[in-house]
Amino acid sequence: MQKREFIVFENIELIKAVINELPFLSRHNVETILKNKDIKLNGVRIKENCELHSNDKITIFYQEKEKQEWYSLVYQDENILIVNKRAGIEVISESERDLLNILKKTYCNIRPVHRLDRNTEGLVIFALNERAEKVLIEAFKTRKSINKEYALLVHGRVDITKIKRTVYLKKVDKLSKVWISELKTSGYEPITTEFDIVEYREENTLLTARLITGKTHQIRAHIAYYGHPIVGDQKYGKDDEKQMHLTANFLSFNFNKKSILSYLNSKTFEITPTWI
């Protein structure tokens, strides 16, 4: 049995709040958990759905899914491991319930080198030895040698000419989100995201995104600021779609010829988002 605690920051239906926090649970799953009195509202066990209010604290007890459901193997050699992470799990967290600890059961020398948002699916790289770890951490730090792209479906028909490539971001820890501004003010840091249109789909737009900087929720907040939240993103938009339509779907490499990972330059890795 697993335990998750979280605080809501808006008026919202209990079942919807739980699904937002644990997107691998269906409405039927949450209704069953409620029936079994495995949800606490502000420390009191409840058995019926209700309306939550800002600062309500939820505690939920649920069965952990099998590890095979959290990732699939994409590539492995003596230096690196690439997996396709499912939405709904952290790469690294303060608890033992994260992708790193699941993978450690199979790969004892695994070392994390970057992260992906819990509700974002897609390609994640791990190092399998100290030498590869140093090279990969430096590559992600300098934004060189690794090209990582995302696919995303957003609300509305995007006019790419109206979206500024560089804006400013401020992290708001108490809300677990970030704010965006076109003007540089106190507490805001510059971010740069490159968006390109793939195609229009009725009332939505399919985009690709490439991070020039790498900040928390950068893609999600940047595109939502211009009125085009990602479909299924409950934090920066509001809709009934359960799954967030954002996937780290492409990787390629450009290491220095003398690098121990230069052999990866001839390889590319691409996955199809589950929501396409």
Side-chain angles (χ1 to χ4, degrees):
M1 193 72 113
Q2 299 295 313
K3 174 183 174 182
R4 174 70 68 87
E5 292 184 333
F6 64 95
I7 295 174
V8 300
F9 297 99
E10 60 181 341
N11 294 343
I12 187 173
E13 177 194 19
L14 170 64
I15 289 179
K16 187 173 182 180
V18 172
I19 291 173
N20 290 348
E21 184 71 14
L22 301 170
F24 53 83
L25 294 178
S26 68
R27 189 176 185 91
H28 176 71
N29 292 150
V30 181
E31 289 172 347
T32 300
I33 294 170
L34 267 173
K35 184 178 180 180
N36 294 334
K37 294 186 176 181
D38 282 333
I39 293 180
K40 291 182 180 180
L41 171 56
N42 298 322
V44 179
R45 289 185 182 272
I46 58 175
K47 63 177 182 179
E48 294 181 353
N49 192 23
C50 63
E51 183 76 11
L52 302 181
H53 304 285
S54 184
N55 293 319
D56 277 345
K57 181 180 179 180
I58 302 301
T59 306
I60 178 170
F61 301 89
Y62 60 96
Q63 295 293 337
E64 184 177 19
K65 296 194 129 187
E66 293 297 324
K67 69 177 184 180
Q68 289 85 357
E69 297 188 36
W70 288 120
Y71 74 93
S72 58
L73 179 63
V74 175
Y75 175 81
Q76 178 188 356
D77 61 31
E78 69 275 13
N79 292 315
I80 73 166
L81 176 76
I82 301 175
V83 301
N84 180 10
K85 181 185 86 70
R86 307 289 187 249
I89 192 169
E90 300 274 8
V91 174
I92 312 169
S93 69
E94 294 179 358
S95 70
E96 293 186 356
R97 183 191 166 275
D98 57 29
L99 184 60
L100 177 62
N101 278 286
I102 290 173
L103 288 167
K104 277 183 177 179
K105 296 174 184 178
T106 305
Y107 308 95
C108 58
N109 294 320
I110 194 167
R111 301 156 186 259
V113 294
H114 72 117
R115 301 191 184 199
L116 205 58
D117 285 350
R118 177 168 58 85
N119 290 332
T120 303
E121 64 178 13
L123 299 171
V124 183
I125 307 172
F126 294 88
L128 294 179
N129 57 59
E130 186 176 0
R131 293 177 67 201
E133 179 186 28
K134 290 180 179 179
V135 173
L136 289 169
I137 287 177
E138 179 65 18
F140 279 107
K141 182 179 178 180
T142 60
R143 297 282 156 184
K144 296 178 180 179
S145 305
I146 299 177
N147 176 35
K148 185 169 68 168
E149 296 181 6
Y150 294 76
L152 57 153
L153 187 70
V154 303
H155 289 285
R157 294 179 66 83
V158 175
D159 182 349
I160 206 73
T161 64
K162 294 183 178 180
I163 298 177
K164 289 189 175 181
R165 183 174 179 267
T166 298
V167 291
Y168 299 89
L169 176 150
K170 179 178 181 179
K171 192 172 181 180
V172 186
D173 289 329
K174 67 178 181 179
L175 298 179
S176 298
K177 64 189 305 184
V178 301
W179 292 341
I180 299 293
S181 171
E182 288 188 349
L183 302 176
K184 181 172 175 54
T185 55
S186 178
Y188 283 78
E189 299 180 77
I191 62 166
T192 301
T193 318
E194 293 182 345
F195 293 102
D196 288 297
I197 294 174
V198 177
E199 64 181 21
Y200 293 109
R201 295 187 169 188
E202 297 181 351
E203 297 180 357
N204 298 323
T205 306
L206 181 62
L207 301 169
T208 59
R210 189 164 71 90
L211 294 172
I212 306 304
T213 55
K215 298 295 183 181
T216 301
H217 298 174
Q218 178 174 322
I219 293 174
R220 299 164 62 183
H222 193 159
I223 196 67
Y225 175 81
Y226 288 96
H228 301 289
I230 296 172
V231 173
D233 189 346
Q234 303 296 330
K235 189 176 288 288
Y236 296 99
K238 293 184 178 181
D239 59 51
D240 295 327
E241 181 68 36
K242 178 182 175 182
Q243 181 181 6
M244 184 164 68
H245 289 36
L246 174 64
T247 304
N249 70 317
F250 180 85
L251 280 172
S252 64
F253 304 92
N254 185 31
F255 289 103
N256 184 286
K257 291 182 180 180
K258 296 182 179 180
S259 170
I260 64 167
L261 299 182
S262 62
Y263 64 91
L264 292 170
N265 293 351
S266 62
K267 303 180 185 298
T268 59
F269 302 93
E270 187 169 9
I271 59 171
T272 301
T274 58
W275 43 266
I276 286 185

